[in-house]
Amino acid sequence: MFKRAWKPIAASIVIAGPVYYFYTSRNQTFELPVRVKASGGQKEIVKKTLPLLPMKSIDSRLRENGLAETHDRPYGVAWHHTTSSLASNDPIEDAHSHQIIQSDDGKSDLLFFTVFDGHSGRNTSQLLSRTLINAVALQLSQLAANTTASLSSTKPFTDGLWALWSKSPSNSTLASWDVPSISSAIENAFVEFDRVLLDAPISILKQAIQEGKLSAQNPVPDLSNNANGIQTMQAAISGSCALMALFDTAQQDLYIACTGDSRAVAGVWKPTEDGKGIWEVDVLSEDQTARNPEEVERLRSEHPSDEADNVVMNGRVLGGLEPSRAFGDARYKWPMPMQELLNQVYMVGNGTPLRKPPKTFKTPPYVTARPVVTHRKLALGDPSSLRFVVLATDGLWDVLTPEEVVTLVGGHLAGLKGTISKSTLPSLVPTSIANAGVDGKAGKQLTRSTKQGLWAFVDDNLSTHLIRNALGGGDENELRKIMSIPAGMSRSYRDDITVTVVWWEAGKEAQVDNITTKSKL
């Protein structure tokens, strides 16, 4: 469908041939500036010679975590999605998951897609990838059934979820399945999940006290060998941004919930009178960082006026954390006495004491998991309104702009192959900005210039395609260098990257798929 819609443009495209770089034995290496500690203790920059990986190895690394699925649904829509990730940290701190929940009659779906950007470890992002979709679905089920079940409920979260989809006028609960109610339910699920996450190590400590694991010689229990306690503690003190897309096919609604600085961008196909069409760029989320003026204003309003100069410093919360919303990050949420107690209980005994919060820490919490939820109406059955949505952690947006991402996806869906200059592609895949969103990275330069060089259209997987082009695209010399930097050094040059692309086609009917939940750590 995409290729037919793009035929007037595709017919006029001339694609450059592959670009090859040849290396002698003398230039199979490159030099990289590295910060090291000198003998006197001060840090200095030295040049380190590193080997260049061959393109075969580069291609293998880029593609090894690629996932692609298609679901032909009975209501006449084929859903396609790809996901790919590339580590910079070792192990990777990103994670992702997706799930399709189908209605009882198989004629409607709720489709969930998530990406998570962990920091200070991967514990929080791992946990979120396994459980956050279920937590949101449970909250929606409670909205449907008007129940008070807790997050620990064993009742299937789909019970009652489809009652609100009934078109019967006698269904008195239908009015509650509206955009404000659903948005509020998603927000509440995020906030409640984070509350449970932060309370978990405290609950285990309370249980230990109730079981009498105290003495006059040991007034504070030592739980440094308690596996469950350590696991919950690590999930609370590490942190993660979260980005969720929820497609409600019955009501034809799209919800984007963003906690942190991952970003969602949509490409909206708009036919034009000349038959060529254009892709509109719609940024669906706002970067929630201490560089976003709206977030700075919110943070200052939530704390005493004498903290106004310290709540945000150098574009970071208390001068330390860049995202202003995140799960976990207990160092920015727990009161100081609680941090000191839990540190003594869990961390000191195993030699991994908790880092102290910034010196300006006074009136927590400074960070919230409450997402900003945005909404868009869908037109799933309109072939002239072809759409896709890109969800990605900030490792992609550090390098590519939303307009470049929409151009790259639009060109891929049009069937472009080979390499093409960056200056030429916009004329072949025209775009316009419908909504630029709020750039929470204002003041930060893109990691590398994306104005010159070549884009590459060599990957079948759309997500891998975007990651490749973020790191060099058709400029194989640049791509080989950035991909050859080993873990431990690469984090100074690129972040973990996880990308999910979702798109759909109307006029596709099939039997109900066997739907399962999938997550990737």
Side-chain angles (χ1 to χ4, degrees):
M1 181 190 298
F2 287 97
K3 294 179 181 178
R4 290 200 299 271
W6 276 80
K7 188 174 181 180
I9 294 181
S12 65
I13 293 178
V14 178
I15 303 298
V19 175
Y20 298 98
Y21 293 89
F22 298 91
Y23 300 90
T24 66
S25 60
R26 291 180 298 175
N27 59 9
Q28 289 296 316
T29 61
F30 68 104
E31 291 186 334
L32 185 73
V34 177
R35 189 184 300 272
V36 299
K37 184 177 291 187
S39 57
Q42 73 277 17
K43 292 183 178 181
E44 62 181 19
I45 302 295
V46 301
K47 289 186 177 180
K48 187 175 181 65
T49 300
L50 299 172
L52 278 168
L53 295 175
M55 275 305 301
K56 184 177 180 180
S57 297
I58 301 297
D59 289 337
S60 177
R61 286 190 59 195
L62 285 170
R63 294 168 178 168
E64 65 182 348
N65 294 320
L67 166 73
E69 292 185 1
T70 293
H71 299 282
D72 295 322
R73 309 301 292 134
Y75 47 85
V77 174
W79 290 92
H80 311 275
H81 63 96
T82 63
T83 297
S84 189
S85 59
L86 181 70
S88 181
N89 294 292
D90 185 15
I92 189 171
E93 295 179 344
D94 283 3
H96 62 86
S97 60
H98 69 272
Q99 184 174 353
I100 302 176
I101 301 175
Q102 61 192 25
S103 62
D104 293 337
D105 60 9
K107 295 181 180 179
S108 303
D109 292 322
L110 293 180
L111 299 97
F112 295 84
F113 299 91
T114 60
V115 296
F116 305 102
D117 183 0
H119 47 262
S120 301
R122 64 200 300 250
N123 304 87
T124 314
S125 59
Q126 283 184 310
L127 178 63
L128 289 166
S129 72
R130 295 193 296 265
T131 53
L132 185 62
I133 290 177
N134 282 2
V136 172
L138 176 59
Q139 191 77 31
L140 294 174
S141 179
Q142 293 172 13
L143 175 66
N146 193 26
T147 67
T148 58
S150 67
L151 280 176
S152 61
S153 171
T154 58
K155 183 179 180 180
F157 56 74
T158 53
D159 286 2
L161 188 58
W162 307 110
L164 295 178
W165 286 16
S166 170
K167 298 298 187 289
S168 171
S170 62
N171 186 351
S172 60
T173 62
L174 183 61
S176 64
W177 194 264
D178 54 26
V179 172
S181 297
I182 295 174
S183 299
S184 179
I186 296 171
E187 287 185 32
N188 292 338
F190 275 48
V191 171
E192 176 67 6
F193 188 100
D194 194 53
R195 184 193 66 77
V196 173
L197 172 66
L198 296 173
D199 283 352
I202 301 172
S203 298
I204 293 175
L205 172 58
K206 288 180 179 179
Q207 182 179 357
I209 294 174
Q210 292 170 355
E211 292 174 353
K213 296 181 179 180
L214 300 176
S215 66
Q217 295 76 26
N218 183 27
V220 177
D222 180 2
L223 302 182
S224 59
N225 292 320
N226 184 305
N228 289 336
I230 294 298
Q231 186 176 29
T232 60
M233 189 70 177
Q234 290 174 336
I237 62 178
S238 65
S240 181
C241 302
L243 181 64
M244 173 179 288
L246 166 59
F247 296 85
D248 177 348
T249 67
Q251 306 300 323
Q252 301 215 21
D253 289 317
L254 167 63
Y255 299 88
I256 299 292
C258 180
T259 292
D261 58 2
S262 296
R263 189 183 296 172
V265 173
V268 184
W269 173 249
K270 295 292 185 181
T272 54
E273 293 182 357
D274 60 8
K276 294 182 179 180
I278 192 170
W279 285 104
E280 285 190 351
V281 181
D282 186 5
V283 179
L284 302 173
S285 61
E286 296 182 0
D287 300 341
Q288 295 153 9
T289 71
R291 296 178 184 273
N292 180 335
E294 295 181 2
E295 285 294 282
V296 172
E297 182 179 356
R298 177 186 64 81
L299 283 165
R300 288 176 174 163
S301 71
E302 293 175 353
H303 298 276
S305 58
D306 62 356
E307 294 189 62
D309 294 334
N310 299 325
V311 171
V312 174
M313 296 187 295
N314 301 319
R316 293 176 178 268
V317 178
L318 299 181
L321 186 66
E322 185 168 18
S324 53
R325 305 191 189 213
F327 286 86
D329 283 314
R331 291 174 56 245
Y332 292 85
K333 298 175 181 178
W334 282 333
M336 182 63 77
M338 182 61 70
Q339 294 195 38
E340 293 173 346
L341 174 61
L342 295 178
N343 181 46
Q344 185 65 37
V345 170
Y346 291 107
M347 310 306 290
V348 172
N350 57 34
T352 57
L354 180 65
R355 288 172 55 203
K356 292 184 178 180
K359 294 180 180 180
T360 53
F361 183 93
K362 294 180 180 180
T363 56
Y366 291 90
V367 176
T368 178
R370 183 175 296 278
V372 173
V373 180
T374 56
H375 168 262
R376 296 290 188 274
K377 288 300 294 184
L378 302 173
L380 298 178
D382 183 0
S384 67
S385 182
L386 307 179
R387 275 191 199 209
F388 59 83
V389 175
V390 178
L391 310 175
T393 56
D394 70 337
L396 184 78
W397 309 111
D398 284 343
V399 186
L400 298 179
T401 67
E403 189 172 9
E404 288 170 333
V405 166
V406 170
T407 303
L408 286 165
V409 175
H412 192 285
L413 294 175
L416 301 186
K417 298 294 182 182
T419 57
I420 188 168
S421 70
K422 294 182 178 181
S423 60
T424 301
L425 185 60
S427 64
L428 303 176
V429 187
T431 60
S432 65
I433 305 294
N435 173 38
V438 175
D439 185 1
K441 297 181 180 297
K444 290 183 65 176
Q445 298 297 319
L446 293 180
T447 305
R448 286 173 301 283
S449 171
T450 58
K451 303 304 180 185
Q452 299 178 348
L454 298 170
W455 298 122
F457 291 83
V458 296
D459 298 293
D460 293 333
N461 185 297
L462 260 171
S463 301
T464 303
H465 166 65
L466 290 176
I467 294 175
R468 179 189 296 272
N469 281 289
L471 301 178
D475 299 311
E476 292 189 0
N477 189 32
E478 180 181 1
L479 180 64
R480 289 180 68 190
K481 284 182 179 179
I482 197 68
M483 289 289 293
S484 297
I485 304 174
M489 299 181 189
S490 62
R491 187 60 186 86
S492 297
Y493 296 88
R494 63 178 178 86
D495 199 353
D496 295 336
I497 304 176
T498 297
V499 181
T500 292
V501 184
V502 184
W503 70 104
W504 55 92
E505 295 179 273
K508 303 285 185 177
E509 294 191 16
Q511 298 299 314
V512 176
D513 294 333
N514 181 21
I515 305 300
T516 58
T517 305
K518 295 193 177 182
S519 62
K520 181 68 175 180
L521 309 180

